[in-house]
């Protein structure tokens, strides 16, 4: 039975589907009904409780009727005060108590300074409402379908338990039969078995020892499920180890809600809502720190506060440790702690407050990993960028692709690795932690060998991917045995962008090691690709590094080539026109020493471009004409066509727009004429530039419909080729052209798209688009 000590017990009926619990109330109800000479149908009519509900209560199928149901039955039976209290007391014997048994605590107080998690709380509130709606209410007490089960998963220190408790306090009114928390101790070396946790819950529900003994281990699961099915309660199963531990604890039916927190994702559980948890946003992290250290101290040095938050990786546990440290050391400035956290080798030691250590939270997860998975975790700390792909991880560990992916997914499942699309990311503090393990547990020299293999692979793959865009190369040679898909230029671009910071680090490592030929080869392979990713932010340093390498090799032609690339980067990526002119002059001198006409021509191209942007038309025209003659003499068709583009740009700058349009149209004709001799990506880049030029000059002439037509073509080419930088520029101009034609809605759409293109967009054009949008009313639908 279920009841308090001293209440009268009744044996289980033994009927199929019957479970222990509630027979005392059922027997009393039947006794009182017969004493009143009422049939079940008669009591139903008198009380408003359904026939089925009364029958279930009398047979013990319902253990704990709601108070309103008991009151309705008492009124229908016309009980006096004594009998009425007797019926209510019997009903209370089956109710869920608010006290806690061994291992199960009454709902603890949530943290007073809870911050953020608005989206997660909104979802949990919606789930709780769904759970409440599953109760049909009424007198039968039946419930529709299984209870709502939500798993909250995430890396150690993300505040899973804190969120669960905060939500429980907020949602308490939706679960009138109680809110209880059981610690599954999933990070213990030997966590409790499901049977032990189930017994803990049953004791908390005031099932007597005698009834537990009578039920025995075999029938306790039935009793457990029956009790939870009857009650609208919130059960939090905190710190669950894995699916096997929690699966037997999930009831099959009921109007309650079960909230499961675990470091693991618990992928094997079916029919659950999933709520992954990560770090806080930068703003939320600053608010949390401010609440801990005090608003005055936080406001005194907001830059230091933001640095502390960033050094903590915006991880709630680390932020609390840092905040509590400052709160107890009022003589410390926030800057002092920020400076201590800046020392990476000491960061985890600093993030200790009393008996709370951030690294200890990480230890609990790491020590549960199999040896191969643990090694992968350690080696991931060698990755220089924020994330990596499967192929990079495979090279790092020496595994095959499928094995590496399985190992990465094990780390994801364990909550130690995050994902974004097909990329894997190690949290900043976990990376610091993994680096300490690498030094302590890896064999001497093993880390250096793994890093060297990864860097070598990154640079080799970069060269092959970049050459998709280089004249005379294109697709990888048949002999290339790569581990990534570079079957198209688009795939190559995606890989170069995804692994950008990783291959950049390998590139700088090669330069530091004096591998000058490798540095120049990598930079050369990326020359035309750089037009596809203009505002990445690193092209000036790439080509400046390659200039130094070329000089170290003592080859004036290589030097001239890299100087020209650097001149382009300074001009286009950073708008440093005068610096670009100085570089192109150096390139011209080196090319003349080498006797190379093509690089001399390119030096004049970049000089002409810079002079034009500086409104120095005469110098621009002179350099461009010299470039055209040199390209023609060298038989360089790609370069020669660029001089057409330059000539048209100069005319546009001088507002000689009809002449500019004529040049652009001639350029398009020549592209079509020489299509088979041109590198496709260079031809496409030239074509989109011509259409954009016609669009711009047409706009300056007031021919806005013509401008829209050509700008739409340019935008479409950019979009198909994935050139976000140029797309942002041409979308802005398209938006302005559409506004000039009075088409406000499509103009708004074009300008708004500029804001959605992300960090690869041209910052100046993003600002322009934002200003234009501020002056427009959003279109109505």
């Amino acid at each position: 039975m279920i009841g308090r000590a001293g209440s009268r017990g009744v044996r289980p009926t033994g009927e199929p589907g019957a479970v222990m619990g509630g027979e005392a109330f059922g027997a009393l109800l039947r006794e009182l009904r017969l004493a009143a000479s009422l049939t079940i149908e008669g009591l139903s009519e008198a009380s408003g409780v359904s026939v089925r509900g009364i029958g279930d209560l009398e047979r013990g199928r319902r253990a704990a009727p709601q108070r309103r149901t008991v009151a309705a039955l008492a009124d229908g039976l016309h009980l006096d005060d004594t009998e009425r209290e007797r019926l209510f007391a019997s009903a209370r014997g089956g109710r869920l108590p608010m006290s806690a048994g061994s291992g199960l605590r009454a709902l603890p107080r949530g943290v007073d300074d809870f911050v953020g998690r608005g989206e997660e709380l909104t979802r949990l509130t919606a789930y709780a409402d769904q759970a409440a709606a599953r109760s049909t209410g009424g007198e039968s007490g039946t419930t529709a379908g299984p209870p709502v089960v939500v798993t909250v998963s995430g890396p150690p220190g993300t505040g899973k338990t804190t969120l669960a408790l905060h939500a429980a306090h907020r949602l308490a009114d939706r679960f009138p039969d109680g809110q209880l928390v059981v610690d599954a101790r999933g990070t213990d070396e030997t966590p409790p078995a499901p049977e032990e946790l189930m017994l803990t819950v049953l004791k908390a529900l005031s099932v007597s020892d005698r009834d537990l003994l009578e039920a025995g281990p075999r029938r306790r699961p039935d009793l457990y499920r029956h009790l939870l099915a009857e009650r609208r309660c919130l059960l939090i199963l905190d710190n669950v180890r894995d699916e096997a531990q929690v699966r037997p604890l999930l009831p099959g039916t009921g109007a309650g809600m079960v909230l499961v927190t675990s470091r693991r994702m618990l992928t094997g559980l079916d029919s659950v809502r999933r709520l992954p948890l990560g770090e806080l946003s930068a703003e939320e992290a600053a608010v949390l720190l401010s609440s801990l250290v005090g608003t005055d101290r936080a406001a005194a040095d907001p830059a230091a506060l933001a640095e502390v938050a960033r050094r903590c990786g915006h991880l709630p546990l680390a932020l609390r440790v840092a905040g509590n440290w400052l709160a107890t050391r009022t003589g410390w400035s926030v800057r002092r702690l920020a400076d201590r956290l800046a020392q990476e080798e000491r960061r985890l030691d600093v993030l200790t407050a009393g008996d709370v250590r951030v690294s200890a939270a990480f230890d609990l997860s790491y020590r549960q990993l199999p040896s191969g998975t643990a090694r992968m975790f350690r080696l991931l700390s060698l990755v220089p960028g924020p994330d990596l792909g499967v192929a990079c991880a495979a090279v790092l560990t020496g595994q095959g692709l499928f094995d590496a992916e399985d190992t990465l997914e094990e780390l994801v499942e364990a909550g130690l690795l995050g994902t974004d699309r097909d990329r894997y990311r190690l949290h900043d503090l976990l990376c610091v932690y993994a680096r300490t393990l690498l030094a302590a547990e890896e064999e001497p020299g093993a880390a250096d060998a793994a890093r060297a293999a990864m860097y070598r692979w990154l640079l080799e793959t970069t060269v092959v991917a970049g050459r998709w865009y280089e004249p005379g190369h294109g697709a990888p040679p048949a002999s290339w045995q790569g581990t990534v898909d570079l079957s198209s230029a688009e795939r190559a671009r995606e890989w170069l962008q995804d692994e950008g910071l990783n291959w950049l680090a390998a590139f700088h490592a090669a330069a530091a090691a004096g591998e000058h030929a490798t540095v120049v080869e990598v930079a050369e392979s990326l020359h035309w690709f750089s037009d596809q990713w203009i505002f990445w932010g690193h092209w000036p340093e790439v080509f400046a590094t390659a200039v130094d390498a070329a000089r170290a090799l003592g080859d004036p032609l290589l030097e001239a080539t890299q100087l020209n690339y650097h001149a382009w980067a300074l001009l286009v990526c950073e708008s440093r026109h005068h610096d670009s002119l100085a570089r192109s002059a150096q390139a011209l001198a080196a090319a003349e020493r080498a006797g190379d006409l093509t690089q001399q021509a390119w030096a004049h191209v970049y000089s002409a471009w810079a002079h034009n942007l500086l409104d120095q038309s005469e110098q621009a025209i002179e350099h461009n004409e010299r470039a055209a003659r040199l390209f023609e003499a060298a038989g360089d068709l790609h370069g020669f066509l660029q001089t057409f583009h330059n000539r048209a740009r100069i005319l546009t700058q001088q507002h000689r727009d009809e002449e500019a349009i004529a040049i652009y149209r001639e350029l398009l004709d020549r592209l079509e004429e020489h299509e088979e001799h041109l590198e496709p990506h260079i031809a496409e880049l030239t074509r989109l530039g011509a259409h954009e030029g016609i669009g711009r000059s047409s706009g300056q002439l007031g021919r806005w419909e013509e401008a829209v037509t050509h700008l739409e073509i340019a935008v479409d080419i950019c979009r198909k080729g994935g050139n976000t930088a140029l797309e942002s520029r041409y979308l802005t101009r398209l938006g302005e052209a559409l506004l000039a034609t009075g088409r406000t809605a499509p103009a708004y759409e074009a300008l708004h798209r500029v804001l959605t293109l992300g960090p690869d967009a041209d910052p100046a054009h993003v600002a322009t688009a934002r200003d234009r949008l501020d002056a427009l009313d959003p279109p109505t639908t």
Side-chain angles (χ1 to χ4, degrees):
M1 60 152 286
I2 301 174
R4 304 187 187 280
S7 60
R8 184 175 54 181
V10 179
R11 297 286 188 271
T13 65
E15 298 174 13
V19 296
M20 286 198 325
E23 288 92 344
F25 179 86
L28 177 58
L29 176 61
R30 184 171 185 275
E31 174 188 320
L32 294 172
R33 177 176 62 79
L34 294 176
S37 300
L38 287 173
T39 64
I40 290 180
E41 290 77 7
L43 179 56
S44 174
E45 184 177 350
S47 65
V49 179
S50 70
V51 170
R52 178 180 175 181
I54 296 172
D56 284 347
L57 287 170
E58 290 192 0
R59 288 192 296 272
R61 292 184 181 275
R62 286 190 59 206
Q66 298 292 323
R67 183 177 180 83
R68 64 177 181 274
T69 303
V70 180
L73 291 168
D75 291 342
L77 292 167
H78 301 290
L79 299 180
D80 60 24
D81 290 344
T82 301
E83 293 297 337
R84 188 181 188 89
E85 177 54 34
R86 181 183 171 196
L87 187 66
F88 270 97
S90 178
R92 285 195 297 270
R95 293 278 173 81
L96 180 68
M98 294 302 293
S99 60
S102 173
L104 185 72
R105 60 189 187 276
L107 193 62
R109 179 178 65 87
V111 294
D112 296 328
D113 47 20
F114 186 87
V115 168
R117 305 302 190 198
E119 180 181 346
E120 290 84 356
L121 286 169
T122 298
R123 288 178 60 185
L124 287 173
T125 300
Y127 295 149
D129 290 339
Q130 291 173 20
R134 287 180 180 243
S135 173
T136 60
E139 33 307 317
S140 70
T142 59
T143 57
V148 174
V149 179
V150 185
T151 62
V152 180
S153 61
T158 48
K160 299 177 289 295
T161 300
T162 301
L163 172 64
L165 294 179
H166 185 77
H169 281 282
R170 285 185 48 162
L171 303 174
D173 62 328
R174 292 163 173 81
F175 302 101
D177 290 330
Q179 310 87 41
L180 300 173
V181 181
V182 58
D183 184 358
R185 306 201 315 271
T187 54
D188 286 6
E189 185 173 344
T190 306
E195 295 78 14
E196 181 181 346
L197 297 174
M198 187 178 293
L199 184 61
T200 298
V201 174
L202 289 171
K203 287 185 176 180
L205 299 178
S206 293
V207 179
S208 69
D209 291 341
R210 183 184 67 183
D211 291 328
L212 289 172
L213 183 62
E214 289 178 352
R218 187 177 63 84
R219 298 194 65 191
R220 283 174 193 162
D222 289 336
L223 176 58
Y224 174 88
R225 287 190 292 270
H226 179 74
L227 295 179
L228 292 181
E230 289 290 328
R231 291 157 173 75
R232 289 176 56 190
C233 66
L234 173 63
L235 175 62
I236 298 176
L237 299 172
D238 188 37
N239 191 20
V240 165
R241 185 185 187 93
D242 53 28
E243 295 91 337
Q245 188 190 34
V246 73
R247 189 178 284 112
L249 301 175
L250 303 180
T253 59
M257 178 163 144
V258 182
L259 195 54
V260 181
T261 75
S262 178
R263 297 181 177 203
R264 300 186 65 83
M265 296 180 69
L266 305 177
T267 305
L269 293 182
D270 296 322
S271 303
V272 300
R273 280 80 164 172
R274 300 187 183 277
L275 196 63
L277 214 57
E279 62 264 29
L280 298 175
S281 68
E283 295 75 16
E284 291 169 340
V287 171
L288 177 55
L289 279 176
S290 297
S291 70
L292 294 169
V293 307
T295 54
D296 291 342
R297 289 173 77 188
D301 194 345
L305 190 82
E307 187 175 335
V308 169
R310 182 168 54 83
R311 301 294 184 191
C312 291
H314 302 149
L315 193 70
L317 174 61
L319 292 166
R320 288 196 175 278
V321 169
N324 289 337
W325 178 277
L326 285 172
T328 56
R329 289 160 178 79
T330 55
W332 278 49
S333 66
V334 179
R335 168 53 55 192
R336 184 174 175 184
L337 179 59
D339 290 343
R340 291 194 71 189
L341 290 172
Q343 303 174 53
E344 184 180 290
E345 67 277 5
R346 296 190 56 201
R347 190 173 303 160
L348 291 175
D349 292 332
V350 172
L351 289 173
T352 302
D355 62 347
V356 180
R357 294 188 304 117
V358 172
S359 60
F362 298 162
D363 281 334
L364 293 172
S365 291
Y366 174 73
R367 299 305 171 192
Q368 294 180 1
L369 298 176
S371 60
T373 309
R375 184 170 186 268
M376 169 76 87
F377 177 73
R378 297 192 298 269
L379 290 174
L380 287 178
S381 67
L382 297 174
V383 178
D387 54 25
L388 81 165
V390 174
C392 188
V395 173
L396 190 62
T397 59
Q399 295 175 287
L401 284 176
F402 292 114
D403 289 340
E405 185 172 31
D406 287 345
T407 307
L408 289 167
E409 289 297 331
E410 286 180 30
L411 288 170
V412 172
E413 185 68 30
L416 292 174
L417 196 61
T419 59
D420 179 17
R421 299 176 293 124
D422 58 351
R423 309 286 295 170
Y424 295 87
R425 175 181 177 267
L426 196 61
H427 184 274
D428 291 350
L429 282 182
L430 282 169
C431 188
V432 173
Y433 172 71
R435 204 166 286 139
T436 63
L437 295 171
L438 188 70
E441 300 183 21
E442 206 67 28
E443 292 292 329
D448 291 338
R451 181 189 289 109
M454 175 178 64
Y455 280 1
R456 184 168 56 253
W457 173 82
L458 283 165
L459 295 181
E460 290 172 353
T461 310
T462 297
V463 169
V464 176
R467 282 178 174 164
W468 255 110
Y469 297 85
E470 291 296 304
H473 289 283
S479 59
W480 186 66
Q481 300 294 320
T483 54
V484 292
D485 182 3
L486 300 180
S487 58
S488 67
E490 182 180 359
R491 296 278 190 184
R493 175 179 55 80
E494 289 174 354
W495 185 89
L496 286 166
Q497 292 179 334
D498 285 344
E499 297 286 357
L501 293 180
N502 291 329
W503 66 250
L504 179 65
F507 178 79
H508 284 308
E515 299 172 10
H516 306 305
T518 297
V519 169
V520 171
E521 181 185 26
V522 172
E524 180 64 37
S525 73
L526 295 168
H527 165 222
W528 282 100
F529 168 73
S530 58
D531 277 311
Q532 305 290 322
W533 199 17
I534 295 172
F535 295 103
W536 176 38
H538 296 284
W539 295 121
E541 69 181 89
V542 167
F543 295 125
T545 302
V547 168
D548 293 339
R551 284 174 173 164
L553 291 171
D555 186 325
L557 177 55
L558 292 179
E559 182 182 348
T561 303
Q562 299 305 320
L563 281 166
N564 271 325
Y565 298 165
H566 193 214
W568 169 86
L570 293 171
L571 181 68
V572 177
C573 303
E574 297 187 346
S575 298
R576 293 163 56 185
H577 306 150
H578 290 289
D579 291 338
S580 177
L581 276 173
R583 265 323 204 191
S584 57
Q586 294 172 12
L588 180 60
E592 288 174 341
R593 290 198 308 273
D596 186 85
L597 298 181
T598 298
Q599 290 306 319
Q600 290 176 45
W602 279 114
H604 285 298
V605 166
Y606 296 129
S607 295
W609 196 346
H611 281 300
N612 189 46
L613 292 172
L614 291 168
D615 287 325
Q616 298 167 350
S617 299
E618 290 185 10
Q619 296 96 319
I621 292 169
E622 179 185 351
H623 279 288
N624 196 58
E625 288 177 350
R626 292 178 67 182
R629 291 194 297 270
L630 288 165
F631 278 132
E632 194 167 18
D636 189 326
L637 180 59
H638 292 102
F640 183 72
L641 292 177
Q642 299 312 305
T643 64
F644 270 77
H645 197 175
N646 249 4
R647 192 190 314 170
R649 274 196 294 232
I650 294 167
L651 290 168
T652 301
Q653 189 79 359
Q654 295 176 319
H655 295 281
R656 295 162 60 183
D657 295 296
E658 292 287 7
E659 296 174 70
I661 291 173
I663 298 294
Y664 280 127
R665 292 193 184 282
E666 183 180 353
L667 176 58
L668 288 172
D669 290 341
R670 286 181 179 254
L671 284 171
E672 186 175 349
E673 178 185 352
H674 299 289
E675 189 81 35
E676 62 183 33
H677 303 296
L678 294 172
E679 160 62 37
H681 306 288
I682 299 175
E684 201 73 343
L685 192 65
T686 307
R687 183 174 289 107
L688 76 88
H691 282 290
E692 186 276 335
I694 294 173
R696 185 193 294 194
S697 287
S698 297
Q700 290 183 174
L701 291 168
R703 302 203 298 250
W704 291 110
E705 291 295 344
E706 185 178 347
V708 167
T709 297
H710 286 279
L711 288 170
E712 285 179 336
I713 293 172
V715 167
D716 188 57
I717 294 172
C718 290
R719 191 169 299 169
K720 289 178 179 177
N723 195 323
T724 303
L726 293 183
E727 183 183 356
S728 65
R729 290 180 174 182
Y730 301 165
L731 272 170
T732 306
R733 289 169 187 156
L734 175 60
E736 292 172 336
L738 287 164
L739 284 174
T741 66
R743 285 181 274 176
T744 305
Y748 189 97
E749 182 182 348
L751 294 168
H752 185 267
R753 176 164 170 75
V754 177
L755 306 187
T756 68
L757 293 178
D760 293 336
D762 185 333
H765 283 259
V766 171
T768 299
R770 186 175 288 111
D771 290 342
R772 297 287 187 274
L773 286 169
D774 288 343
L776 295 175
D777 293 325
T780 57
T781 56

